[in-house]
Amino acid sequence: MPGRSASPASSASSVSSAASGSSPVSSASSASSAPSASSASSGAPTPSGSPDSAGSPASSGAPVRTARIVTGDHLLTVNPVDGSEIEPCPPGERPARPERHGPDERAELRRAAAAPRPSGTVLPELPMLERDQERERLARLIARGRSVRVTGPSGTGRSTLLEAVASDCERLAPDGVVRLSGYRRTPTDLLHDLYAAVYDAPLYRPDRAELLEAVQEIGAVVVLDDIEFGGAALDEFLDATPECAFLISATPDVPAPSADSHLEEVFLSGLSRTAGRELLELAARRPLAADEASWAADLWFESEGLPLRFVQAGALLRQRDALRDASFEPEADGGQAAPLPPLAEAASPAVLLAASLSEAARDTLRFAVALGGECPHQAHLPALCGDTHADAALGELLGHGLVTAAGSHYRLAAGVAAHLAAEGYADEDAGRAHTIAQHYTWWAGHRSVAPERVAAEADAILAAMAALIGSREAGHADAAVLLARAAAPAFAAALHWGAWERAVRHGQEAARLAGQVADEAYFHHELGVLALCTGNLDRARAELEASIGLRGVLADKRGTVAGRRALALVADRSPGSAMAGAFGAGGGGRTGAGETTASSGAASDEETTIVTPRVATTTPMAAIGASATATTAAIPAVSRTSAAVSAASATPAPPAAASAASVGPSGGEPRGLRRLAAYGARRNVVAAAAGVLLVAVLGTVVTLGATSGNDDNSPADKVKPGHSATQRDDDKGLTAGEPTSGTGQAPRPGLSGAPQAPTSPAAPSTGAPSGSTAPSGPSSPSGTSSGPEQPPSPPSSDPATQGPKPTTKPPTGKPTTPTEEPTKPTPTTSAPAPRR
């Protein structure tokens, strides 16, 4: 249409074509061949590395075009060089709750999402015939809040009917009418499209939970054309939007909805014979002659009244009129100069219509056939066809009924691609797909082209990749890799993640075929990041590990770092690994799978979380008074040293220290301070703090023992450090801890494992303790008697010398005064008990 602003690509293409007289595709391919050769080794042909409008490579110091997207709890930075980077979203980066679009904004979005009006020939607007009854019925059902599914074959005018009903329902819902295209879209894609059509949230893609919560609050009439899924998928899509009324169109080959979906089914049939003749006259722009009316009746029977066939038949009549006017042959008896085409050709008139088109239009058809039916935007046609006026070719094709609108672009009408391919239009598909790929690689990587504009050409770009991968000709896989590297970041930045995934998968396959390991690693990385964004952690881990492995072989340090960062985030998000990395690098080494393991010298049962004790737990010790301080100072230095060394080096502690560490305030299981050795230098700090706490606990126990039994003649004073309270085999007398006969009770082990004094007040035997001449001081847990890890000496085999059974009462009597002076305690030198 005159006055329409062209895209940056068309402007650059027109300038280069007018200056050099050649297609800018060749110049783009030659200019991009230099950076592609160098980037093949590094695996990173940057999109901004394509030639700019001045022809100079943008890779010379030019910044790379990146985008920062908030997706759920993640912050995604789209990086076309080393791969996208993902991290937890900082609180300041998360956007506020999005607001709804106003009526004016919705109208602007609707115009931007519609297929562009072709330039050149002004096409007459054909009315909708014999659809008034269906239109009124659909409007009534939508007004009642019902959802309707309109079914009919391609060419019945479903899109025209839906547009008419949508205009009747503009004021029914608070969020107005939302028009969506289901062409090659999944249910998740459509939910995100619905979210973007209602909420103003640029560069933000909500996660699944937030998306479902947001769409449940949308109240709109959703017009969904060309849906490609049904059954359970359609049921889930409808259940996610309970406040919306849907007007859906589908072909008969699409699976039907389930019986519980409560969708009204409306089947759209063809036109009547009268309406078909009227439409043919409107398309031919003149009344029909007698023979043409009979021909139209036969055509109606052959085509089952499809409106598209009458539009194409009208183009045939206009073509016939143009040939008659060009030959200046007079009419004979009111008849036409040329015979009418046969019904078989009139029912499938693609070949006949293409014969009368301009060269640019026929070239456009060849490009569309090479892309599987997808038509490039009219702004790209001058560069592809080498004709500065080729942008008018799309309007010519639309006027002949050879293309139809599909969302924001055009595609060949039903059956046209197959008929043209049979007539030789597909002979050069691989070469034309290669030309399209070179052009789109240059255009999508240009810094002046917005990502949304690239996303609008997603179907044509993806079709070019698929054609190149299937050709298996030399150089085509390389071209597909370059196109994927240029287009995939733009798809991600435009939030068209369905096209992003397909482009990355096409690029991965093309890189494998071309033997480009660096590019294959890049695509593996992108797939892993995409899977992490969508919550598929297993796939993300597999893809990232594959990328890291390939980049490790290539010594790509930057790419490896980016992959390991993403893999660490996968590990933190995995179930059961929420605390992974909570203690920093000292908490264990991260394996390739992102799992945290202990060092090689630690057993698996020693992998436990150690919590640093608070210093405040030791402050009540000062309240005990001076006696507590004096008693603590009286503890042998070797005991405190042994406890500290045991906590710091994780070696087996001496018996006394092990006993004190084993028995806590609650008498529970050992806390396992020896397990700290597996956690590195940072765990040693925790162990040192735990050792300080143990010394404080030992002082508390000693203080309690001193305050509860401060009698100098306590039977416990008969025990010397390093000796057992039981009878020795080489000593026929009783030990100091053995009561007199007749007590009937044996000594019981105390807190530290040493036998306690008997509960009877009877005086002990006059025999002196073995190896000792004087008491060594109060018995305490810091002594060196046997603990839980060192069992006491076995009792004598003589039943008469076995000790009495223990009781729970403390001793109340005084023992006999020893005959010799007490000596200083000597530390034990016995080896530590083996670990259990």
Side-chain angles (χ1 to χ4, degrees):
M1 183 171 60
R4 180 179 177 84
S5 59
S7 65
S10 63
S11 301
S13 303
S14 302
V15 171
S16 60
S17 300
S20 60
S22 61
S23 172
V25 175
S26 59
S27 62
S29 61
S30 61
S32 61
S33 60
S36 64
S38 60
S39 60
S41 58
S42 62
T46 64
S48 59
S50 302
D52 54 14
S53 57
S56 60
S59 59
S60 57
V64 178
R65 184 177 65 182
T66 61
R68 291 167 63 88
I69 302 171
V70 178
T71 167
D73 296 333
H74 303 105
L75 177 61
L76 175 65
T77 302
V78 180
N79 185 357
V81 181
D82 301 316
S84 300
E85 301 175 2
I86 186 170
E87 58 182 329
C89 182
E93 296 285 345
R94 190 171 181 86
R97 184 178 180 87
E99 298 181 356
R100 281 177 161 85
H101 291 298
D104 296 338
E105 295 176 341
R106 290 199 301 265
E108 182 64 25
L109 291 174
R110 182 170 63 251
R111 287 191 295 268
R117 180 77 175 178
S119 59
T121 305
V122 179
L123 301 176
E125 293 289 342
L126 299 178
M128 186 179 59
L129 302 177
E130 287 190 347
R131 301 300 188 198
D132 294 338
Q133 184 177 359
E134 289 85 352
R135 179 177 180 177
E136 294 177 358
R137 179 187 176 188
L138 294 176
R140 287 196 307 267
L141 291 174
I142 295 297
R144 297 173 185 173
R146 305 294 298 273
S147 295
V148 189
R149 182 174 182 260
V150 181
T151 307
S154 298
T156 54
R158 292 177 288 109
S159 301
T160 304
L161 177 61
L162 262 61
E163 183 61 30
V165 176
S167 62
D168 298 338
C169 303
E170 286 288 346
R171 301 181 181 274
L172 292 181
D175 291 322
V177 177
V178 177
R179 293 168 174 84
L180 302 178
S181 174
Y183 181 67
R184 295 187 176 178
R185 307 290 280 177
T186 64
T188 302
D189 293 338
L190 290 177
L191 287 177
H192 282 284
D193 292 344
L194 178 60
Y195 178 89
V198 176
Y199 293 100
D200 184 13
L203 295 178
Y204 177 70
R205 182 180 174 90
D207 56 9
R208 181 70 178 181
E210 187 176 357
L211 175 65
L212 295 178
E213 181 181 358
V215 297
Q216 286 179 356
E217 301 176 358
I218 296 178
V221 176
V222 181
V223 179
L224 183 55
D225 196 9
D226 288 335
I227 194 172
E228 295 183 350
F229 59 88
L234 181 58
D235 294 343
E236 294 178 1
F237 178 75
L238 297 178
D239 294 339
T241 54
E243 301 298 328
C244 294
F246 285 88
L247 182 58
I248 304 173
S249 71
T251 55
D253 57 339
V254 175
S258 63
D260 299 334
S261 61
H262 304 290
L263 270 177
E264 295 286 342
E265 281 284 345
V266 175
F267 183 80
L268 202 61
S269 59
L271 301 177
S272 64
R273 180 182 299 182
T274 303
R277 176 177 176 174
E278 182 180 356
L279 182 59
L280 181 58
E281 290 179 348
L282 293 174
R285 304 173 191 174
R286 62 175 179 81
L288 298 179
D291 58 343
E292 294 173 344
S294 301
W295 179 76
D298 297 336
L299 178 64
W300 173 83
F301 182 81
E302 184 71 19
S303 64
E304 298 180 354
L306 293 180
L308 178 63
R309 296 293 179 258
F310 288 98
V311 173
Q312 294 172 346
L316 287 177
L317 293 182
R318 294 199 309 269
Q319 173 184 341
R320 185 165 172 264
D321 294 342
L323 292 175
R324 182 197 60 190
D325 296 339
S327 61
F328 298 99
E329 294 181 2
E331 299 181 2
D333 299 332
Q336 298 292 337
L340 292 170
L343 291 179
E345 297 181 358
S348 300
V351 178
L352 292 178
L353 293 175
S356 62
L357 296 175
S358 63
E359 185 61 30
R362 288 196 298 269
D363 213 10
T364 302
L365 288 177
R366 294 186 180 94
F367 281 113
V369 172
L371 296 179
E374 306 294 340
C375 293
H377 193 275
Q378 59 184 353
H380 301 285
L381 296 180
L384 295 174
C385 301
D387 186 356
T388 56
H389 301 288
D391 54 346
L394 189 61
E396 190 176 355
L397 296 177
L398 186 61
H400 285 70
L402 295 177
V403 297
T404 58
S408 60
H409 68 288
Y410 290 93
R411 58 173 173 167
L412 296 181
V416 174
H419 290 98
L420 292 178
E423 292 296 325
Y425 279 77
D427 293 343
E428 300 178 358
D429 279 359
R432 292 186 179 274
H434 188 258
T435 302
I436 295 172
Q438 288 180 326
H439 170 75
Y440 275 127
T441 301
W442 166 78
W443 175 75
H446 203 283
R447 295 187 300 273
S448 63
V449 180
E452 291 77 12
R453 188 67 192 89
V454 181
E457 295 290 303
D459 292 324
I461 293 175
L462 294 173
M465 294 182 195
L468 291 177
I469 294 173
S471 67
R472 297 295 194 272
E473 294 185 12
H476 287 184
D478 298 324
V481 170
L482 294 177
L483 179 56
R485 292 293 300 259
F491 293 157
L495 301 181
H496 194 349
W497 284 13
W500 182 25
E501 181 177 5
R502 283 182 286 168
V504 172
R505 293 195 178 279
H506 284 321
Q508 178 187 1
E509 178 65 17
R512 186 186 63 82
L513 294 174
Q516 299 184 9
V517 181
D519 293 300
E520 187 176 359
Y522 167 82
F523 292 123
H524 274 298
H525 177 87
E526 293 296 285
L527 287 174
V529 171
L530 176 60
L532 177 57
C533 292
T534 55
N536 195 338
L537 300 181
D538 294 336
R539 177 181 295 177
R541 182 180 296 106
E543 297 290 350
L544 290 173
E545 287 177 352
S547 174
I548 293 172
L550 293 176
R551 283 174 165 173
V553 173
L554 299 174
D556 184 2
K557 295 182 179 180
R558 295 178 58 182
T560 302
V561 169
R564 291 194 178 277
R565 287 176 179 174
L567 191 59
L569 189 57
V570 172
D572 293 340
R573 293 292 188 267
S574 299
S577 301
M579 295 300 294
F583 295 99
R590 240 180 232 289
T591 63
E595 299 175 357
T596 303
T597 60
S599 59
S600 58
S604 60
D605 59 344
E606 295 181 2
E607 298 175 3
T608 181
T609 301
I610 306 299
V611 180
T612 305
R614 295 179 299 178
V615 180
T617 58
T618 62
T619 54
M621 294 297 299
I624 300 178
S627 61
T629 305
T631 308
T632 305
I635 300 176
V638 64
S639 300
R640 294 196 300 269
T641 305
S642 300
V645 171
S646 173
S649 62
T651 56
S659 176
S662 302
V663 182
S666 61
E669 294 294 328
R671 294 299 180 187
L673 294 178
R674 61 183 182 275
R675 302 177 181 177
L676 297 174
Y679 294 91
R682 191 165 182 174
R683 294 296 188 269
N684 292 340
V685 179
V686 181
V692 174
L693 179 60
L694 284 177
V695 174
V697 173
L698 293 178
T700 305
V701 176
V702 171
T703 303
L704 294 177
T707 55
S708 61
N710 52 4
D711 196 347
D712 296 336
N713 297 325
S714 174
D717 297 342
K718 304 301 181 179
V719 182
K720 192 174 182 180
H723 291 77
S724 174
T726 59
Q727 183 180 7
R728 299 176 59 88
D729 294 337
D730 57 348
D731 190 1
K732 301 301 182 181
L734 296 177
T735 61
E738 183 177 357
T740 58
S741 59
T743 56
Q745 294 180 354
R748 62 183 180 89
L751 291 177
S752 62
Q756 291 183 348
T759 57
S760 175
S765 173
T766 57
S770 175
S772 175
T773 58
S776 60
S779 177
S780 66
S782 63
T784 57
S785 58
S786 300
E789 296 185 5
Q790 182 177 354
S793 301
S796 175
S797 59
D798 189 1
T801 61
Q802 294 181 358
K805 297 180 179 180
T807 63
T808 58
K809 296 181 181 180
T812 56
K814 296 182 179 180
T816 305
T817 304
T819 59
E820 294 184 11
E821 295 295 329
T823 60
K824 295 181 179 180
T826 58
T828 181
T829 59
S830 60
R835 294 170 56 186
R836 292 183 178 178

